[in-house]
Amino acid sequence: MSIWWSLHLRREAASVPLARRFLLGTMETAGVDPDISFDLSVALSEACANAVEHGGDRMVLGEPGDSGCGRPAADSGQYRVTAYLDGEKCRIEVSDSGPGFPARRALRPAAPAEQHPQHVPSPLPARDDEAESGRGLDLIQQLSDHVQFGNRPGHGAVVRFDKVLKWREGALLTV
């Protein structure tokens, strides 16, 4: 048995705890270990907060003959969260309609795997270590087993992360 769901949320701060509570409720009902649920809910909160803050500034070009100014994309006021619980793994994807991760920034290597025993390294967009922004991406990486950060050309950014699940005794979705 597996569970998946998808939420289309407004880019408002109130949507972040809503997505987190939805995930926690699903995992509790399914019987996922509370520590794993907590890690994934924190990672989800960070990904949603990034979508709320950065996910709607993409502009689309006007019709031929327009003044050349773009207008906000029709979907710039929302983002999507999708979660899959299937067997031993949970995969979460947060996608927005913003400008995406900056192409001008080089990707840097991930932190060494020794910092998190089940961690599979994945590159993160580079950032200024003194800046406060970008720390959420590091946190997502530390709390997950595998992370992908990327752009959907013309459609915004996507953050995908997986974690191997542990189950409580008598869980509904045991393998």
Side-chain angles (χ1 to χ4, degrees):
M1 184 170 157
S2 62
I3 298 172
W4 74 269
W5 50 261
S6 187
L7 300 172
H8 291 217
L9 300 164
R10 288 187 180 186
R11 286 184 48 243
E12 298 173 355
S15 68
V16 177
L18 175 66
R20 181 179 175 142
R21 287 182 194 133
F22 202 90
L23 177 68
L24 284 169
T26 301
M27 296 185 117
E28 181 180 348
T29 301
V32 175
D33 177 82
D35 291 336
I36 299 294
S37 298
F38 178 78
D39 286 354
L40 284 169
S41 72
V42 172
L44 174 63
S45 295
E46 291 296 332
C48 290
N50 282 342
V52 167
E53 185 175 346
H54 305 290
D57 300 325
R58 182 174 54 88
M59 303 295 275
V60 294
L61 297 175
E63 297 296 321
D66 283 354
S67 64
C69 297
R71 67 186 188 300
D75 58 357
S76 68
Q78 60 185 329
Y79 66 102
R80 182 173 49 194
V81 176
T82 305
Y84 307 90
L85 280 78
D86 191 21
E88 296 179 351
K89 180 171 68 172
C90 177
R91 169 170 282 172
I92 298 173
E93 180 176 299
V94 177
S95 56
D96 63 43
S97 56
F101 293 105
R104 67 183 179 279
R105 292 186 175 178
L107 294 178
R108 67 174 173 82
E114 299 84 46
Q115 292 179 359
H116 187 63
Q118 295 179 325
H119 175 76
V120 177
S122 172
L124 288 173
R127 64 172 176 80
D128 177 359
D129 286 331
E130 298 299 314
E132 194 164 318
S133 68
R135 290 186 183 153
L137 300 179
D138 289 337
L139 187 56
I140 293 167
Q141 187 175 26
Q142 291 171 9
L143 294 171
S144 304
D145 295 328
H146 182 260
V147 181
Q148 293 175 304
F149 300 93
N151 293 326
R152 299 175 306 143
H155 297 288
V158 62
V159 176
R160 226 176 260 116
F161 51 98
D162 300 341
K163 189 160 184 84
V164 173
L165 298 174
K166 294 179 187 171
W167 300 95
R168 293 188 326 248
E169 188 70 30
L172 295 176
L173 290 182
T174 56
V175 183

